[in-house]
Amino acid sequence: MISFLKDVSREMRKVSWPTGNELTRYTVIVILTVLFVAIYFTVVDLGISQILELL
């Protein structure tokens, strides 16, 4: 177990962490993507509902 934790610690030092600007940019991109997908599926769902009501 101790060997595993040492290996994890060693690997974590190799990780390239994002800067503050990168983190902000990535966060905005994720939020905008989620909003776009949510709006897209809402419109598709409403369209399918309208088509089914006509039938």
Side-chain angles (χ1 to χ4, degrees):
M1 183 70 171
I2 293 175
S3 175
F4 172 75
L5 292 175
K6 285 181 182 179
D7 289 342
V8 168
S9 176
R10 194 175 309 123
E11 289 297 319
M12 291 301 285
R13 284 189 217 113
K14 296 178 186 177
V15 172
S16 173
W17 297 101
T19 64
N21 273 346
E22 290 174 331
L23 188 60
T24 302
R25 189 171 14 145
Y26 297 153
T27 302
V28 169
I29 289 170
V30 168
I31 291 171
L32 291 176
T33 302
V34 168
L35 286 174
F36 173 77
V37 171
I39 291 169
Y40 173 79
F41 281 114
T42 300
V43 170
V44 168
D45 183 51
L46 290 173
I48 291 172
S49 296
Q50 291 297 318
I51 290 171
L52 290 176
E53 284 182 15
L54 291 175
L55 301 175

